[in-house]
Amino acid sequence: MCASYGLDPRFTDAELLAQADADVIEGLRNWAEQNAGETLRPTGKNLRNLNPLVVSNGDAVSLEPAWWGYLVNGEPAKFPSINTRSERLQERPGGLKTRAIVPSTGWFEMQKPSRVWHEFALDNQALFGMAAVTQRGRTPEGEWITCYSIVMAPASEHLKEFHERMPVLIPPGLSQEWLTGPPDRELIDEAILASGQLAERITVSARP
């Protein structure tokens, strides 16, 4: 399960979008600087953070503040919703109706039984995208907002010793298709395959 990730403003490269979007990249860097290196965590009743999400905006893309986890009837969902299993989307592609990309410079997982936290990063602190499915939800204050759930798949072979699952990574060449392509089994299968190839560049380091 991915329950926290990072967005470091010092990212060295952008492996996020097929075509470089200066406004999106600059917006992410500014947001990360204002976030002061804080770890991004699920949104809830007490932690009311909104995290930046890359969404389709017609023929372009844009950033949108979003609630991590689903809202149901004006409250955080009673069921686990911050992550969605890729296998479930393969069985029920209807869950792919609306999608987004989560920008990140690394995600964090605890290795068991040592209980040591590790960071999973791409190359040398590159900015990359994680697959997400989205839906609209109403906050406790009555505001409608985009909610997201990060898509998780079985971990690549070299990462399994640290954690059995990992986010589905969206390489730049698949970014537009992930955001706007038909919500079918072919799309999620293609994303899982592309993620496995990109995951070969993921390195792991223990967090101090």
Side-chain angles (χ1 to χ4, degrees):
M1 181 178 79
C2 176
S4 60
Y5 61 95
L7 186 53
D8 192 317
R10 299 167 297 178
F11 54 81
T12 57
D13 194 10
E15 292 279 343
L16 186 65
L17 300 168
Q19 296 181 344
D21 189 308
D23 291 339
V24 168
I25 301 303
E26 187 63 23
L28 285 171
R29 201 181 295 276
N30 290 339
W31 188 94
E33 288 174 349
Q34 294 173 17
N35 194 49
E38 289 293 321
T39 298
L40 284 74
R41 302 184 188 280
T43 319
K45 288 183 177 179
N46 298 320
L47 192 62
R48 300 304 295 274
N49 57 293
L50 297 179
N51 303 326
L53 204 61
V54 177
V55 298
S56 176
N57 185 11
D59 295 331
V61 296
S62 61
L63 287 178
E64 182 176 326
W67 184 294
W68 185 8
Y70 290 153
L71 286 159
V72 179
N73 297 324
E75 296 182 353
K78 299 295 192 297
F79 56 87
S81 64
I82 63 170
N83 296 150
T84 296
R85 296 174 67 90
S86 61
E87 297 92 333
R88 180 181 177 187
L89 294 174
Q90 288 176 307
E91 295 171 359
R92 302 176 182 176
L96 292 163
K97 185 176 180 181
T98 51
R99 305 174 298 278
I101 295 174
V102 179
S104 173
T105 52
W107 75 92
F108 311 123
E109 297 285 8
M110 179 188 287
Q111 185 182 24
K112 296 178 181 180
S114 66
R115 299 186 64 81
V116 174
W117 282 93
H118 289 80
E119 179 175 5
F120 298 72
L122 179 67
D123 297 339
N124 182 25
Q125 203 70 28
L127 177 70
F128 62 90
M130 302 184 290
V133 288
T134 67
Q135 64 182 40
R136 297 290 286 175
R138 181 168 50 83
T139 70
E141 292 75 31
E143 177 187 3
W144 286 93
I145 195 167
T146 296
C147 305
Y148 69 99
S149 178
I150 295 176
V151 182
M152 302 290 288
S156 292
E157 201 61 41
H158 73 294
L159 303 178
K160 286 182 178 178
E161 65 177 289
F162 302 100
H163 202 271
E164 69 275 10
R165 297 187 73 81
M166 63 172 284
V168 172
L169 309 179
I170 301 295
L174 189 64
S175 59
Q176 188 62 27
E177 186 175 357
W178 175 256
L179 292 174
T180 62
D184 54 24
R185 173 67 185 262
E186 184 177 349
L187 178 64
I188 186 62
D189 285 350
E190 184 177 3
I192 293 170
L193 178 61
S195 175
Q197 296 169 348
L198 187 58
E200 296 176 3
R201 294 162 52 190
I202 293 291
T203 58
V204 186
S205 57
R207 298 197 76 194

